[in-house]
Amino acid sequence: MPAVASDPLLILGGGLIGLAIAHRLALAGRPVTVLSRRRNEAAGFVAAGMLAPHAEGLTGNQLALGQASLAAIPAWVAQIEADSGLRCGLRPCGIVVPFTSAEQRDAYPTAAWGEALGRAGLEREVPGIGGAWRAGLLFGQDGQIDNRRRLMRALERACVGLGVTFEEGTEVLALERDSGGRFAGVQLRRADGEALSLPAERAVLACGAWSAQLLPQLPVFPVKGQMLSLQGPRQALQRVVFGPGTYLVSREDGLLVVGATSEPEAGFGEGLTPAGQRQLQAGIAALLPEASQWPPMERWWGFRPCTPDEGPLLGESPIPGLWLATGHHRNGVLLAAITAELVGAQLLEQPLGASGAALLAACRWDRFPGQAGSREAHQPSTRQA
Ligand code: GLY
């Protein structure tokens, strides 16, 4: 087994996933450098911070991964808070998913994990909920974290305190390989315009929606989401409400984060659109009519890194020496903890255990049938002529 290299490991991408892995490695005493283009474009700053494997109706491997991460989050957050001295705003507040009929509720993929609610239960859990909703599921185990205002800052400070080096404003232009095809470093452009080649033996690609720009074999594409926030009264809404096309995430101080459109057709198209904002306003009016009167605070957008099965790409890449931590689609905040644990263990050559190994194996980059460069595409057909 090759010795763990002591030169800095590069993290390509300074978003939540990149920071979470940097933190994990720095805790183990490894030298790490994070190359970050623009912090505020990271999906970790855009997301609403729901921790919602059950409320989002995940299934199969995505559900298993989400549940494992949900279980890991309290200890992960406690470590970040201890290392940074900052609170992360973790709230195990429960999430309510409303439905227009009991039949729809009972057919929800994760119904077995929730408490079934009728209209009276909905009104108890979400006072003021719109009249169209007749049934619901309460997932008391799901929750939220204040990613935009707290978690990202705390994680960054924890990393700095543990000696992680940051190169902000640095755009990675290309990956470099040696004659044997191994990862050998990156070409980059610094904030002052200087272009240079940075040699390195190992890196983690955590570039979110932009990942395929560096490694076109990766089946990662952007799914734009528009968001807004309102200032509600403190304590107005205790539960997160996850409706179809719109969700409401109430922070401790009453700030209501409202998401989100899902626009794969937009590509990397920047900006808000009237249609997107109308969708959110209509969703607010349907879910919690009184919130339509609350003062607007901010509007923003970002790009989810999606894959064909909406699950992340974790672990080894087609390039030896380069690891992947990308493609988390709607669940990057939820999955940051398990991503750091699994990819961190792999990088540190620590045992994963059978369940960790199984989770990681389900997240291989080449798991998609017919994918160029995938294992399947390279396997001979079993049918004999
Ligand atoms: N997880 C919520 C979203 O991506 O909009």
Side-chain angles (χ1 to χ4, degrees):
M1 192 171 284
V4 175
S6 60
D7 62 322
L9 184 144
L10 302 182
I11 306 277
L12 315 182
L16 176 56
I17 299 297
L19 292 185
I21 295 171
H23 177 238
R24 173 79 175 79
L25 297 176
L27 269 173
R30 304 293 179 213
V32 181
T33 297
V34 176
L35 305 179
S36 167
R37 182 170 62 177
R38 275 184 297 276
R39 292 168 71 252
N40 59 359
E41 72 188 359
F45 275 119
V46 175
M50 278 187 295
L51 306 173
H54 307 97
E56 292 241 14
L58 301 185
T59 56
N61 294 325
Q62 265 52 282
L63 179 61
L65 199 64
Q67 289 175 325
S69 205
L70 193 65
I73 281 171
W76 180 67
V77 166
Q79 184 70 54
I80 296 167
E81 291 184 341
D83 292 339
S84 65
L86 296 173
R87 302 288 309 280
C88 294
L90 176 63
R91 290 183 76 196
C93 57
I95 301 185
V96 169
V97 184
F99 301 90
T100 52
S101 72
E103 291 71 31
Q104 282 182 9
R105 175 194 66 200
D106 297 341
Y108 203 61
T110 47
W113 280 270
E115 178 189 335
L117 304 174
R119 176 68 200 176
L122 273 181
E123 287 175 2
R124 182 188 68 234
E125 300 299 334
V126 186
I129 190 165
W133 312 104
R134 311 310 303 168
L137 287 167
L138 168 60
F139 296 104
Q141 63 279 59
D142 288 359
Q144 60 159 302
I145 192 163
D146 197 343
N147 55 307
R148 273 169 73 73
R149 297 185 300 181
R150 293 180 180 276
L151 173 64
M152 290 294 280
R153 188 150 41 106
L155 195 47
E156 192 174 317
R157 186 178 291 186
C159 285
V160 170
L162 290 166
V164 173
T165 304
F166 282 86
E167 289 221 23
E168 178 62 24
T170 296
E171 183 169 11
V172 178
L173 304 172
L175 306 174
E176 291 183 338
R177 305 184 200 198
D178 66 16
S179 55
R182 274 191 67 83
F183 176 78
V186 292
Q187 291 167 24
L188 54 83
R189 189 186 303 114
R190 293 213 159 106
D192 61 5
E194 184 194 9
L196 56 99
S197 177
L198 180 65
E201 286 177 20
R202 304 190 310 155
V204 179
L205 192 157
C207 298
W210 295 269
S211 297
Q213 292 178 359
L214 283 181
L215 193 51
Q217 282 147 290
L218 299 183
V220 180
F221 52 92
V223 175
K224 182 177 176 178
Q226 299 184 44
M227 313 275 294
L228 61 83
S229 62
L230 309 170
Q231 185 60 54
R234 223 181 153 87
Q235 315 282 332
L237 194 59
Q238 292 300 316
R239 306 288 195 191
V240 169
V241 185
F242 185 80
T246 309
Y247 47 81
L248 312 176
V249 183
S250 181
R251 305 294 193 218
E252 224 160 4
D253 60 359
L255 185 79
L256 188 73
V257 179
V258 181
T261 62
S262 188
E263 306 169 63
E265 69 288 352
F268 282 110
E270 303 260 336
L272 303 168
T273 64
Q277 295 296 299
R278 273 198 305 274
Q279 175 192 318
L280 298 181
Q281 294 296 160
I284 296 165
L287 287 174
L288 193 66
E290 71 188 71
S292 296
Q293 308 306 320
W294 294 351
M297 298 296 285
E298 270 187 277
R299 296 176 193 272
W300 67 98
W301 72 91
F303 303 101
R304 303 175 184 89
C306 194
T307 66
D309 66 5
E310 304 186 350
L313 313 180
L314 305 180
E316 290 167 5
S317 81
I319 303 178
L322 180 73
W323 279 263
L324 302 174
T326 186
H328 294 75
H329 190 222
R330 298 178 63 92
N331 297 297
V333 179
L334 168 68
L335 298 179
I338 194 73
T339 297
E341 193 175 310
L342 295 177
V343 178
Q346 218 183 22
L347 286 161
L348 294 164
E349 297 173 10
Q350 293 174 345
L352 278 166
S355 63
L359 290 173
L360 202 52
C363 296
R364 284 188 62 99
W365 74 275
D366 57 357
R367 64 183 180 270
F368 306 99
Q371 177 188 11
S374 72
R375 279 178 302 172
E376 247 185 64
H378 284 156
Q379 274 166 6
S381 164
T382 51
R383 183 181 295 172
Q384 302 296 312

